[in-house]
C-alpha cells in the first residue's frame, strides 16, 4: 500500500505542517516582544498610564503566543531526528552547532526572563523588570539570527567539506554562519515579523476605534502600528527585491519557478502577472504578462537574457505551481500593506487618523495578512529549494529516516488533530483577549482577572455611580457588555 | 583518540549534565502535573500552578539543549536513536504540547478549566512515561546496521522499558511532592508531606527493581557493575542511595522544608550516575561509542567555546529567576 516514496512525501507534509504552524508564533512574538519593550520604555520615560495599560494588554497576548511558540518549537527540534535522520547524520555537524547556539544564547535567555517579565512586576524594581523585558526581546532576535543562519546555510551552503562517510564537515564557521543568502533572509524575515505584529496591533486598535473612537489606548496603539507599517512596508519591498536578486545569483531555479519561466528568454523576459503553470507541459497557460518587465526587475535591463527551467535537468526542478502562486500571494499582500501604510499617512496628515472609518476597516481587514504573507514567503523559499534539503548537495529523498509510511501517516494524523485542538483554542483565547477593550492599569494591580469570578456581574445598561466605579479595583476585568459606558450601550 | 578528556568525552559529560539539569528542573514540574488530581480544584490547584509558572519554560529548555546538543555533538547517535524511539518520542512531544499550553490556557477559559487541568495531568503523565520508556529502551539496546536503525517499530515496548517508564512517573511525582513541601504551607503542605512519604517508598522500590534488572539485560552491564576491582567504586552508588534515603525520611519526619526535595534530587543524581556506569563509553548502548558517533572536531570545538562561556551564565540567570520567586508561593499571578 505504501512505499518509501510515500514515507518521504508524508514526512515532508508533516514537516511543512508543523513548521508552518510553529512559524506563526515566532513571527508574531519577535515583533510583539520589541513592541512590549518600547511600551515599557515609554511608560518609564513619560509616566503616562496609557503605555502601561497597553503593556499589560499585550503582555497577556504575548504570553499565550509565546507559550504556543515554545511547545510547537520543541517539536521542530526533535523532528530533524525522528523524520530526517539521514539529514541529521550528514548535516548535523554544521546545522547542530548553529541550533545549539540558538538554544544557549536565545531560548534560555527568553525563558529565563519571561517569568520575571510576566510575574515579577511586584517583585523586582521597575528598572530590573524593564531589563527582563529587554532580555526577552533581544532573545527573540538572537533566536532569529541563528535559525535563519541554519536555514540559509541549507539554501546556500558554504564553508564546509565532505568527509568519507558523507558528512558535511565545517571548515570556516564565519562562512557557514554568514553564508551568501543569510543577511538578506534575516532582514526580510525580521521585517516580516515586525510588519506582522504591526498589522495585528493596528487591526486591534482599529477594532476598538470602530467601537469607541475615544478610547485612548486604542488611539495610541493604532497610531503606533500604522506608523510602523508606513515605514516598514516600503523597506520590506526593497529588502524583498534585494533578496530576490541574491536568490537569482545562488538559486536560479527557484527564481525561474517563482517567475514561471519554463523557457529561456534570450532578449528580455516578460513578467507573468497571472497564469496557470503546467509542470508536465513546461508552460504557463492563460498568462497575462508585461513584456520585458521580468528582465527589468531582475537585471535592471529590459533586454537582458534570462534562462528558464529548460536549462536545468528536469529531476532538479522545484514544483512550479506552488512556488509561483505562493510568491504572488506574498507580493500581492506586500503591496496591500504599502497601500495601508500610505492611506494611514494621508489620513494622519489630514488629522483623520482616529476618525476615518474606512481606514479602520481597511486596517482591520489587513490584520491577518502578515501571517498569510509570512507563510506564503516561507513556502516560496522552501518549496523553491526542492528537491534538495542542502541545496545542490543532499536530496530530500535521501534525507529521510528509514521509516515505514504507516508510522509517519499515523503521527501526521495525530499532529494535525492535536494542533487544531490546541492552537485553535489558543487562537480563540487570543481573539477573546483582543476583543476586550484595553482598560486603565496601575503598576500595583497585576492580578486582575482572577477576581472577576468572585465579583457579581453587573447587568448591562446600569451605569454604576462614578464614585462606586472609581472605588472598585482599578483594572478589574470587565467582560464585554459589563463595562457600562454610554458608547457600548448604544451598540 | 580515546583519551579521557578528549572532545567527545567532554561533550558526553556536557550532554549528561543537560539531561541531569532537565531532570532536576522539569522533573518536579512534570511531577506537579502528575499529582494535580490530588489537589482540590480552585485555590489549591491555582497555588500549585503558580509555584512553577514563572520557571517552567526555562526548565523545559534543557530538554531542547539535550536534543539539540545530541544532534550537534553526536549526530550519528541522534540519527539512530530518534527513529528507533519514534513512537515514544512523538508521544512525548505531543504530551508536552498539552501540558505546556495548560499553564496559560486554564486561566483564560474558566468554563473549560477542568479540561485544561486534565490536559496538564495527562500531558505530564504521558510525557514522563515516554521519557522513561525511551530510557529503558535505550538501556536494553537498539538494533543498528551501518549508520541507521535496523529494528522494528515496536522494539521499544518491553516489560523492562515499561518498568522504567512507570518508575519515572513515580519518581517525578516524588520530586513534585517534595517541591511543594518546600513551596507551600498549611494544609497543602501537610498533604504533600504524606504524599512524599508514600512516593519516597515507591521510588526506592522502583530504583531497586530497575537496578536489579539492568545488569541482566546484557553481560556488558554486569561487567560494568561487578567486575573486580571496579565493583569497589560502583558499590558506592547503592551505598549513597541508602544514605540519601535515610536523610530523606529523616527530613520529612522532622518537618524540614528543603531536605526532602534536595534528597529526592540526590536520589535522581545517583540514578543517573548508575546509568552512566552502565552505558559509558557508549552513546547508543552496546552499539555505538561516543567516539564513533562524535561530530568532527571542528564542530565540537566551536560549540565547546560557547558552552563553556554560556552555560555558567545560563545557570546564573536561571538561579536569579528562581531567587526572584523564592519563598512560599502565594496566590498571586499575572493572569
Amino acid at each position: 500500500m505504501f512505499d518509501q516514496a510515500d514515507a518521504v512525501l508524508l514526512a515532508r507534509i508533516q514537516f511543512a505542517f508543523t513548521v508552518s504552524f510553529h512559524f506563526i508564533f515566532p513571527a508574531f512574538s519577535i515583533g510583539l516582544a520589541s513592541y512590549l519593550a518600547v511600551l515599557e520604555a515609554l511608560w518609564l520615560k513619560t509616566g503616562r498610564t496609557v503605555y502601561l495599560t497597553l503593556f499589560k494588554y499585550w503582555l497577556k497576548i504575548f504570553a499565550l503566543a509565546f507559550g504556543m511558540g515554545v511547545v510547537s518549537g520543541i517539536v521542530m527540534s526533535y523532528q530533524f531526528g525522528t523524520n530526517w535522520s539521514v539529514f541529521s547524520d550528514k548535516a548535523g555537524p554544521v546545522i547542530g552547532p548553529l541550533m545549539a547556539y540558538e538554544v544557549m544564547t536565545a531560548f534560555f535567555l527568553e525563558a529565563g526572563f519571561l517569568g520575571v517579565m510576566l510575574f515579577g512586576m511586584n517583585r523586582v524594581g521597575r528598572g530590573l523588570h524593564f531589563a527582563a523585558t529587554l532580555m526577552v526581546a533581544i532573545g527573540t532576535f538572537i533566536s532569529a539570527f541563528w535559525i535563519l543562519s541554519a536555514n540559509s546555510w541549507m539554501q546556500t551552503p558554504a564553508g564546509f567539506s565532505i568527509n568519507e562517510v558523507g558528512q558535511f564537515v565545517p571548515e570556516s564557521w564565519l562562512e557557514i554562519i554568514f553564508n551568501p543568502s543569510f543577511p538578506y533572509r534575516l532582514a526580510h524575515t525580521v521585517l516580516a515579523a515586525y510588519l506582522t505584529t504591526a498589522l495585528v496591533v493596528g487591526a486591534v486598535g482599529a477594532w476598538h476605534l470602530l467601537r469607541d473612537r475615544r478610547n485612548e489606548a486604542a488611539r495610541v496603539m493604532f497610531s503606533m502600528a500604522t506608523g510602523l507599517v508606513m515605514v516598514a512596508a516600503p523597506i520590506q519591498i526593497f529588502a524583498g527585491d534585494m533578496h530576490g536578486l541574491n536568490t537569482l545569483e545562488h538559486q536560479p531555479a527557484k527564481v525561474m519557478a517563482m517567475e514561471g519561466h519554463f523557457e529561456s528568454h534570450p532578449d528580455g523576459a516578460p513578467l507573468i502577472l497571472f497564469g496557470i503553470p503546467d509542470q508536465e507541459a513546461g508552460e504557463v497557460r492563460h498568462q497575462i504578462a508585461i513584456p520585458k518587465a521580468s528582465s527589468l526587475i531582475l537585471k535592471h535591463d529590459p533586454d537582458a537574457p534570462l534562462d528558464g527551467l529548460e536549462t536545468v535537468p528536469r529531476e532538479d526542478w522545484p514544483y512550479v505551481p506552488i512556488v509561483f502562486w505562493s510568491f504572488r500571494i506574498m507580493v500581492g499582500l506586500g503591496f496591500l500593506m504599502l497601500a495601508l501604510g500610505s492611506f494611514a499617512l494621508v489620513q494622519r496628515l489630514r488629522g483623520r487618523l482616529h476618525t476615518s472609518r474606512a481606514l479602520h476597516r481597511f486596517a482591520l481587514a489587513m490584520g491577518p495578512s502578515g501571517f498569510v504573507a509570512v507563510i506564503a514567503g516561507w513556502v516560496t523559499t522552501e518549496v523553491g529549494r526542492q528537491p534538495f534539503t542542502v541545496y545542490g548537495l543532499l536530496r530530500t529523498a535521501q534525507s529521510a529516516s528509514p521509516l515505514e509510511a504507516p508510522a509517519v501517516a499515523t503521527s501526521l494524523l495525530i499532529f494535525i488533530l492535536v494542533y487544531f485542538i490546541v492552537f485553535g483554542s489558543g487562537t480563540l483565547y487570543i481573539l477573546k483577549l483582543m476583543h476586550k477593550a484595553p482598560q486603565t492599569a496601575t503598576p500595583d494591580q497585576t492580578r486582575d482577572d482572577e477576581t472577576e469570578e468572585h465579583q457579581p456581574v453587573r447587568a448591562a445598561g446600569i451605569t454604576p455611580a462614578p464614585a462606586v466605579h472609581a472605588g472598585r479595583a482599578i483594572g478589574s476585568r470587565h467582560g464585554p457588555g459589563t463595562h457600562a459606558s454610554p458608547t457600548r450601550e448604544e451598540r | 583518540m580515546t583519551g579521557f578528556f578528549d572532545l567527545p568525552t567532554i561533550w558526553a559529560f556536557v550532554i549528561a549534565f543537560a539531561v541531569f539539569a532537565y531532570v532536576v528542573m522539569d522533573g518536579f514540574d512534570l511531577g506537579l502535573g502528575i499529582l494535580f488530581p490530588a489537589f482540590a480544584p480552585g485555590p489549591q490547584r491555582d497555588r500549585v500552578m503558580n509555584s512553577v509558572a514563572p520557571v517552567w519554560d526555562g526548565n523545559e529548555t534543557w530538554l531542547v539543549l539535550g536534543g539539540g546538543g545530541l544532534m550537534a555533538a553526536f549526530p550519528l547517535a541522534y540519527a539512530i536513536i530518534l527513529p528507533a524511539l519514534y513512537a515514544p518520542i512523538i508521544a512525548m512531544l505531543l504530551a508536552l504540547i498539552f501540558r505546556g499550553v495548560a499553564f496559560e490556557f486554564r486561566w483564560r477559559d474558566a468554563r473549560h478549566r477542568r479540561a485544561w487541568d486534565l490536559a496538564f495531568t495527562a500531558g505530564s503523565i504521558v510525557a514522563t512515561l515516554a521519557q522513561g520508556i525511551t530510557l529503558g529502551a535505550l538501556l536494553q539496546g537498539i538494533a543498528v546496521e551501518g549508520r541507521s536503525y535496523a529494528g522494528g517499530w515496536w522494539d521499544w515496548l518491553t516489560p523492562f522499558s515499561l518498568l522504567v517508564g512507570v518508575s519515572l512517573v513515580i519518581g517525578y511525582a516524588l520530586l513534585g511532592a517534595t517541591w511543594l513541601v518546600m513551596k507551600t504551607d498549611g494544609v497543602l503542605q501537610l498533604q504533600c508531606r504524606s504524599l512524599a512519604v508514600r512516593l519516597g517508598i515507591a521510588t526506592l522500590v522502583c530504583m531497586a527493581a530497575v537496578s536489579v534488572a539492568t545488569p541482566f539485560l546484557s553481560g556488558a552491564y554486569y561487567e560494568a557493575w561487578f567486575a573486580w576491582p571496579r565493583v569497589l567504586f560502583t558499590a558506592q552508588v547503592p551505598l549513597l542511595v541508602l544514605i540519601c534515603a535515610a536523610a530523606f525520611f529523616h527530613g520529612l519526619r522532622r518537618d524540614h522544608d528543603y531536605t526532602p526535595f534536595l534528597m529526592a534530587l540526590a536520589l535522581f543524581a545517583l540514578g543517573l550516575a548508575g546509568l552512566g556506569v552502565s552505558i559509558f563509553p557508549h552513546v547508543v548502548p552496546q552499539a555505538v561509542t561516543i567516539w564513533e558517533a562524535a561530530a568532527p572536531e571542528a564542530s565540537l570545538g566551536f560549540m565547546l567555546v560557547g558552552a563553556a562561556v554560556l552555560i555558567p551564565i545560563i545557570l546564573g540567570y536561571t538561579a536569579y529567576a528562581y531567587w526572584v520567586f523564592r519563598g512560599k508561593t502565594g496566590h498571586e499571578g499575572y493572569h
Side-chain angles (χ1 to χ4, degrees), chain B residues 54-250:
Chain B
V55 290
W56 77 272
D57 189 8
N59 299 345
E60 208 161 274
T61 307
W62 291 95
L63 181 68
V64 184
L65 183 64
L70 187 67
M71 175 183 176
F74 302 104
L76 179 61
Y78 186 76
I80 291 169
I81 293 171
L82 269 77
L85 296 163
Y86 194 72
I89 284 174
I90 299 275
M92 175 187 79
L93 296 173
L94 292 165
L96 288 177
I97 290 178
F98 277 108
R99 76 177 290 278
V101 297
F103 278 99
E104 284 295 325
F105 287 7
R106 71 186 297 279
W107 303 103
R108 303 278 155 238
D109 186 2
R111 256 191 310 163
H112 295 111
R113 186 164 298 167
R114 291 289 182 89
W116 291 116
D117 284 0
L118 180 67
F120 184 51
T121 298
S124 301
I125 292 174
V126 172
T128 308
L129 201 60
Q131 287 173 9
I133 287 173
T134 299
L135 184 62
L138 258 182
L139 268 175
Q140 75 198 5
I142 287 175
V144 179
E145 227 169 72
R147 293 180 77 81
S148 54
Y149 175 58
W153 301 111
W154 295 91
D155 285 12
W156 51 271
L157 186 65
T158 62
F160 179 75
S161 67
L162 287 177
L163 170 69
V164 180
V166 171
S167 300
L168 200 67
V169 173
I170 292 169
Y172 279 0
L174 172 70
L175 288 177
T178 53
W179 165 262
L180 287 175
V181 168
M182 211 161 69
K183 297 296 280 185
T184 62
D185 46 25
V187 184
L188 187 54
Q189 192 191 31
L190 278 179
Q191 194 186 340
C192 293
R193 275 191 205 286
S194 93
L195 274 171
V197 173
R198 280 175 284 164
L199 288 166
I201 295 168
T203 301
L204 288 170
V205 170
C206 288
M207 281 182 90
V210 174
S211 306
V212 168
T214 305
F216 299 100
L217 285 174
S218 109
Y221 294 153
Y222 193 88
E223 280 285 300
W225 282 95
F226 298 113
W228 186 266
R230 213 181 147 114
V231 68
L232 291 178
F233 290 99
T234 56
Q236 307 307 315
V237 177
L239 199 67
L240 285 169
V241 167
L242 288 180
I243 293 170
C244 291
F248 170 80
F249 288 112
H250 179 78

Side-chain angles (χ1 to χ4, degrees), chain A residues 14 59-60 63-64 66 68 70-71 74-75 77-78 80-83 85 87-89 92-97 99-101 103-105 107-109 111-116 118-120 123-124 128 165 167 169-170 173 177 401-404 407-408 411 414-415 418-419 421-423 425-426 429 432-433 446-450 453, chain B residues 11 46 50 53-58 60-69 71-72 75-76 78-80 82-83 86 89-90 92-94 96-98 100-101 104-105 107-110 112-113 116 147-149 153 294-296 298-299 302-307 310-311 314 317-318 320-321 324-326 328 331-335:
Chain A
Q14 183 164 326
L59 186 65
K60 290 178 187 177
L64 276 167
F66 191 87
M68 291 190 276
V70 167
V71 294
I74 293 175
V75 172
S77 69
Y78 278 83
F80 287 105
T82 51
N83 286 358
S85 65
F87 169 82
S88 301
D89 177 20
V94 172
I95 295 289
M99 297 205 297
Y101 267 99
V103 180
M104 292 191 293
T105 57
F107 290 174
F108 278 114
L109 196 66
F113 287 99
L114 181 75
V116 179
L118 291 179
F119 298 88
R123 287 187 172 250
V124 299
L128 272 176
V165 289
Q167 283 178 316
V169 179
W173 283 104
I177 296 167
S401 298
L403 289 167
E404 284 163 13
V408 192
S411 65
I414 302 173
F415 268 114
V418 167
Y419 274 39
I421 294 172
V422 170
F423 300 129
S425 309
Y429 299 151
K432 228 170 92 180
L433 288 174
T446 46
R447 180 186 173 81
D448 44 12
D449 53 353
E450 258 70 68
E453 285 157 41
Chain B
W11 270 101
D46 295 354
N50 280 338
V55 290
W56 77 272
D57 189 8
E60 208 161 274
T61 307
W62 291 95
L63 181 68
V64 184
L65 183 64
M71 175 183 176
L76 179 61
Y78 186 76
I80 291 169
L82 269 77
Y86 194 72
I89 284 174
I90 299 275
M92 175 187 79
L93 296 173
L94 292 165
L96 288 177
I97 290 178
F98 277 108
V101 297
E104 284 295 325
F105 287 7
W107 303 103
R108 303 278 155 238
D109 186 2
H112 295 111
R113 186 164 298 167
W116 291 116
R147 293 180 77 81
S148 54
Y149 175 58
W153 301 111
S299 307
F302 171 64
M303 270 194 304
L304 194 62
V305 176
L310 292 164
I311 291 181
I314 292 166
Y317 61 66
T318 303
Y320 170 73
V324 166
F325 300 100
R326 69 196 174 281
K328 303 286 182 190
H331 296 280
E332 65 188 291
Y334 85 101
H335 302 285

Side-chain angles (χ1 to χ4, degrees), chain A residues 5-44:
Chain A
D6 295 322
V8 174
L9 182 64
L10 286 164
R12 284 182 62 188
I13 294 171
Q14 183 164 326
F15 199 87
F17 177 78
T18 49
V19 84
S20 305
F21 254 94
H22 169 65
F23 197 24
I24 289 173
F25 302 110
F28 185 39
S29 48
I30 289 172
L32 201 49
S34 297
Y35 185 50
L36 286 169
V38 169
L39 287 171
E40 193 171 8
L42 286 171
W43 174 56
L44 291 175

Side-chain angles (χ1 to χ4, degrees), chain A residues 125-418:
Chain A
R126 289 182 182 186
L128 272 176
H129 188 268
F130 177 59
T133 308
L134 264 187
M135 289 300 139
V136 173
I138 291 169
T140 61
F141 249 125
I142 301 175
S143 176
F145 176 93
W146 289 110
I147 202 66
L148 285 165
S149 174
N151 179 267
S152 297
W153 184 83
M154 290 163 69
Q155 306 270 359
T156 53
F160 64 93
S161 61
I162 294 177
N163 71 8
E164 70 280 7
V165 289
Q167 283 178 316
F168 294 89
V169 179
E171 294 295 334
S172 159
W173 283 104
L174 273 180
E175 282 179 40
I176 290 169
I177 296 167
F178 299 97
N179 61 76
S181 66
F182 169 62
Y184 303 94
R185 191 168 275 108
L186 180 68
H188 199 45
T189 311
V190 169
L191 278 167
Y194 274 127
L195 268 171
T196 300
T197 307
L199 288 159
V200 173
V201 173
V204 172
W207 173 248
H208 293 296
L209 286 175
L210 284 169
R211 286 145 56 103
D212 173 9
R213 66 175 62 154
R214 286 168 304 178
N215 186 318
E216 194 198 2
R219 293 166 78 105
V220 171
M221 73 170 117
F222 188 70
S223 169
M224 290 175 87
T226 49
L228 184 63
V229 172
M230 189 188 76
V231 176
I235 298 177
Q236 176 69 314
I237 290 170
F238 176 71
D241 182 51
M242 301 281 289
H243 187 24
L245 295 180
N246 176 267
T247 307
L248 179 67
E249 189 182 338
H250 295 279
Q251 297 176 295
K254 184 191 285 186
V255 176
M256 293 167 193
M258 283 153 62
E259 298 281 316
H261 291 163
F262 287 101
E263 294 158 26
S264 299
H265 298 276
D267 39 35
L271 179 69
I272 302 174
L273 294 176
F274 289 103
I276 315 245
D278 184 334
Q279 180 94 345
E280 291 302 310
E283 61 174 332
V284 180
R285 297 184 198 285
H286 313 295
Q287 54 175 278
I288 303 168
I290 306 173
K292 299 190 186 271
S294 185
S295 287
L296 184 65
I297 292 171
L298 290 168
K299 297 270 182 171
H300 298 242
D301 170 8
D303 297 318
L306 271 181
D307 286 342
L309 280 168
E310 63 179 16
T311 60
V312 176
R314 207 165 179 122
E315 69 270 17
D316 291 350
W317 285 15
Y319 185 63
V320 176
I322 292 180
V323 182
F324 182 87
W325 278 111
S326 61
F327 178 63
R328 270 151 194 73
I329 292 168
M330 176 185 75
V331 171
L333 288 172
F335 280 101
L336 277 175
M337 292 171 202
L338 182 66
L340 175 65
S342 313
F343 187 21
L345 177 64
V346 169
Q347 297 294 46
R348 191 185 290 262
L349 294 175
R350 294 170 64 200
R352 300 202 59 220
L353 188 67
H354 301 303
T355 49
S356 164
R357 293 181 81 80
L359 175 63
H360 300 161
R361 289 205 186 92
F362 187 18
L364 184 59
M366 288 294 285
S369 64
F371 295 111
V372 180
V374 159
I375 297 292
W378 181 82
V379 166
T380 305
T381 201
E382 296 303 299
V383 178
R385 185 190 52 194
Q386 298 300 330
F388 299 100
T389 47
V390 181
Y391 195 68
L393 296 164
L394 184 61
R395 281 179 181 274
T396 308
Q398 288 153 2
S399 301
S401 298
L403 289 167
E404 284 163 13
V408 192
T410 311
S411 65
L412 174 61
L413 281 177
I414 302 173
F415 268 114
I416 292 174
L417 190 70
V418 167

